[in-house]
Amino acid sequence: MLKPILPYLIAALLGALAGAGCMHLVGSARLAAERAAHARDDEQHARDMLAVSRAALEGEQRAIDAHNVAQDALAAADAAITKEKDAHEADNRNYRSALAAGTERVRVAVRNCSATGSGDATGPSGAAGVGYGAAAVADLDPAVAERVFGVAGDDQREIDKVKVLQAYVCAVRPHTPGC
C-alpha cells in the first residue's frame, strides 16, 4: 500500500528539504545583512559618542582655562592693589607723623585773613595779597591739618574699595564696559 505513494512521498520530502534549505540560506543571508547593518550603526554611534566626548572635554578644558586666567588676573589685581594700599598707608602714616611733629606743614592759599586772639574782630580784615593779585598762603594748625589729612585718608580707603571691586569685576568678566 505504501509502494504506489512512496515515490511521491520521497519527492515531497526532498522538496520540503530543498525548501527548508533555501529558506535557511535566505534567512542566513538576511541575518548576516542585518548584523552588518547593526555593526555599521554601532560603529557610527561609537564615532558620534567619541565626537561628543571630545567636544565636552574641549569645553571643559576651555572653562578650566578661563577660570585659571580669571584667577590669575584676580591674584595679580589683588597683589597690585595690596602693594598700592600698603605704600599709600605708609606714606599716610609718615606724613601724619611729620604733621604731628611739625616737620611738615599744610599750606592753603588765602585771599583775606584776620588775626584772631581774644575772640573779637576789632580790626578790619586785611588783604593777604602780596601784590599784583597774588594770593598769600597760611599754615594750618598741625592738629587741624592732621584731622583734615585723616578725613582724606578715610576717603582714599573708600576709593580703594571701589578700585578693588572694579578689578574683581574686570578679572571675572573682562568684556564688561570700563574694563
Side-chain angles (χ1 to χ4, degrees):
M1 167 144 142
L2 281 175
K3 249 185 184 200
I5 60 167
L6 189 62
Y8 296 110
L9 225 76
I10 291 176
L13 186 61
L14 286 176
L17 284 174
C22 285
M23 287 300 289
H24 177 70
L25 289 176
V26 168
S28 294
R30 285 185 183 167
L31 181 61
E34 188 67 27
R35 283 184 179 164
H38 279 298
R40 283 190 303 275
D41 287 347
D42 290 346
E43 189 176 316
Q44 182 62 40
H45 179 69
R47 281 194 301 270
D48 292 345
M49 290 307 297
L50 182 61
V52 167
S53 294
R54 285 184 180 154
L57 182 63
E58 289 170 2
E60 184 179 359
Q61 190 61 45
R62 283 192 305 271
I64 289 170
D65 292 343
H67 178 265
N68 289 341
V69 166
Q71 197 172 21
D72 291 345
L74 280 175
D78 185 50
I81 289 170
T82 300
K83 182 179 176 182
E84 182 180 332
K85 182 183 119 215
D86 291 345
H88 176 73
E89 286 178 355
D91 289 344
N92 193 359
R93 276 191 308 275
N94 292 340
Y95 195 66
R96 287 180 86 173
S97 295
L99 284 174
T103 57
E104 286 288 335
R105 295 180 294 190
V106 175
R107 292 184 177 163
V108 293
V110 293
R111 207 179 319 192
N112 294 315
C113 63
S114 62
T116 59
S118 63
D120 58 1
T122 56
S125 295
V130 189
Y132 300 108
V137 293
D139 290 341
L140 287 181
D141 178 64
V144 173
E146 189 177 349
R147 285 194 302 267
V148 168
F149 200 78
V151 170
D154 292 342
D155 289 347
Q156 185 61 45
R157 279 190 290 281
E158 297 305 315
I159 291 168
D160 290 343
K161 288 178 186 178
V162 172
K163 284 181 180 179
V164 168
L165 179 61
Q166 183 66 34
Y168 174 78
V169 169
C170 288
V172 174
R173 295 186 52 146
H175 300 297
T176 301
C179 292

